[in-house]
Structures are given as C-alpha cells and as structure tokens.
C-alpha cells in the first residue's frame, strides 16, 4: 500500500495534450501530441485514450513507449469531434492527463509538401508554350531526307522499265517495332506508286 502511494507521488501525468487534424492527407487521421511526463525516464510508456462526441467513455486506442510525445490516430470519422487523454503507465499504475480540446479530421485539397511539383509543372508548361509561340514566328527549314529522294528515283526507274515495285517490310512479325516502322514507310511508298500507276508487290 505504501509503495502504491509512493509511486503515485513519483509518477506524474503528461501535460499540454493537443489534438489536430493531420495535415496534407485525405482525412480520417488526427495527430495527438503532448508534453512528456517529468517521470518519463521511469515509465513503461503512454496509453492513448479516445472518445467521440457520440460516446460517453474513453477507451484505449494505442500505446507508445517512453520518450515519445506523439501518436497518429488513423481511424477517425471526418467532421466528428474527438477528445483525447494520455495516461502515463508504470507497472499497474496509470496517471491520467487532462482531456484535450475537441478535434476533427477532414481531407485537404492539396498536399503542401508537394508544392515544388506543382511549381515545376507550371514552369515546364510555361516554357513549352513560350517556345511554341516563338517557333511560329520563325521560318523553319526542314532538310529533306535523302532516303525519300531515293525512293522516288526507284519508283521512277521501275515506271520507265515497266517493272513492278517489290517492298519487303522485314522478316519479323507484325508486333516487331521495325516491321511497324516499315509499314509506315510503305504507306508513303504506296501513295507515290499510285501516282505513277505502277504495280506494287508486298510479300
């Protein structure tokens, strides 16, 4: 009995218990903080107790070890008031803090921790629009690809000789990247061959 009374004198409760909505999240979370008990060095830890405005009694929702002064309640209902209390635990002795002010959880529209990503997005968007607008004011020179001229010469030669044009898209399957690229070239070659009225053979 004397030891129980002595421990009650030694173990002091935590103070300044605060509960706030956890910032930069999608809701349903409340962050609880408190000032460590002066008896923290001899404690087993802290019990976190909670009740909502719909409930009459507090019940345990978590436990943290000594030298810890925060706890994240991840199971709350948005826009509902919650009250919290912290108890300092030493063996079977529990000393309770004052009850916190009510706190509500709610979702935020924007995560302020990712503000740099938003600014980077707007910066790149501005640069893209700027260079597009600038490019429209400048007359661009696009160099003709030598291979296209060679295709026209080959089609013209086949027309002069009265021979058909053979186009081989490759030895791979249709899912191969090289074959898909060859088919894109074939579409342009077919247009040119149609102008010259030459027979086209594609194996």
């Amino acid at each position: 009995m004397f030891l129980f009374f002595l421990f009650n004198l030694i173990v002091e409760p935590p103070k300044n218990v605060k509960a706030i909505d956890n910032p930069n999240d999608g809701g349903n979370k409340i962050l609880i903080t408190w000032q460590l008990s002066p008896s923290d060095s001899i404690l087993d830890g802290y019990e976190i107790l909670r009740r909502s405005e719909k409930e009459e009694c507090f019940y345990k929702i978590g436990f943290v070890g000594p030298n810890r002064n925060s706890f994240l309640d991840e199971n709350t209902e948005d826009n509902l008031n919650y009250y919290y209390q912290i108890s300092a635990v030493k063996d079977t002795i529990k000393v309770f803090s004052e009850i916190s002010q009510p706190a509500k959880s709610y979702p935020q529209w924007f995560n302020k921790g990712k503000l740099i990503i938003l600014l980077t997005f707007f910066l790149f968007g501005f640069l893209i629009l700027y260079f597009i607008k600038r490019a429209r004011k400048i007359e661009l020179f696009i160099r003709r690809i030598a291979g296209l001229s060679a295709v026209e010469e080959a089609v013209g030669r086949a027309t002069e000789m009265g021979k058909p044009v053979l186009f081989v898209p490759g030895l791979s399957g249709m899912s191969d990247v090289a074959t898909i690229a060859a088919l894109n070239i074939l579409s342009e070659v077919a247009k040119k061959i149609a102008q010259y009225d030459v027979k086209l053979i594609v194996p």
Side-chain angles (χ1 to χ4, degrees):
M1 184 68 181
F2 175 74
L3 289 176
F4 181 81
F5 177 74
L6 182 62
F7 268 125
N8 268 323
L9 291 178
I10 295 175
V11 178
E12 297 184 50
K15 300 177 181 179
N16 198 24
V17 180
K18 295 181 180 179
I20 60 171
D21 172 61
N22 191 53
N24 302 321
D25 66 5
N28 304 114
K29 295 179 183 179
I30 292 179
L31 178 64
I32 307 101
T33 60
W34 59 89
Q35 183 180 335
L36 292 176
S37 165
S39 315
D40 182 79
S41 59
I42 64 170
L43 295 179
D44 297 329
Y46 299 92
E47 276 188 1
I48 295 86
L49 309 173
R50 183 188 80 179
R51 77 170 179 86
S52 72
E53 61 184 14
K54 298 179 180 180
E55 299 166 328
E56 296 182 358
C57 300
F58 282 89
Y59 60 93
K60 178 181 175 181
I61 60 168
F63 181 87
V64 296
N67 202 31
R68 293 277 302 277
N69 66 340
S70 65
F71 179 82
L72 183 61
D73 184 1
E74 301 181 282
N75 188 26
T76 64
E77 181 181 337
D78 286 343
N79 299 313
L80 181 66
N81 279 320
Y82 287 91
Y83 300 84
Y84 293 88
Q85 193 173 29
I86 309 298
S87 68
V89 180
K90 174 61 179 177
D91 297 330
T92 58
I93 299 173
K94 297 181 181 180
V95 183
F96 296 91
S97 69
E98 295 181 353
I99 299 172
S100 71
Q101 293 295 318
K104 295 180 180 180
S105 62
Y106 54 90
Q108 281 77 45
W109 286 96
F110 180 72
N111 186 344
K112 295 179 181 178
K114 297 182 178 180
L115 182 61
I116 186 64
I117 298 177
L118 179 64
L119 295 177
T120 303
F121 172 79
F122 280 115
L123 176 61
F124 274 99
F126 171 77
L127 291 175
I128 290 172
L129 293 176
Y130 169 76
F131 283 111
I132 289 176
K133 187 175 181 179
R134 184 179 177 185
R136 287 176 176 174
K137 296 180 179 180
I138 302 174
E139 185 176 350
L140 299 177
F141 171 73
I142 301 177
R143 183 177 62 85
R144 183 172 178 79
I145 300 175
L148 295 178
S149 300
V151 169
E152 291 184 1
E153 291 177 5
V155 173
R157 191 171 303 159
T159 304
E160 293 174 357
M161 299 176 63
K163 300 290 185 179
V165 174
L166 174 65
F167 186 94
V168 180
L171 301 177
S172 303
M174 289 299 298
S175 60
D176 190 75
V177 176
T179 305
I180 296 173
L183 292 177
N184 289 329
I185 297 173
L186 174 61
S187 65
E188 297 301 321
V189 172
K191 292 177 184 178
K192 184 63 65 177
I193 289 175
Q195 293 176 1
Y196 287 93
D197 195 21
V198 180
K199 184 178 180 181
L200 174 63
I201 301 175
V202 181

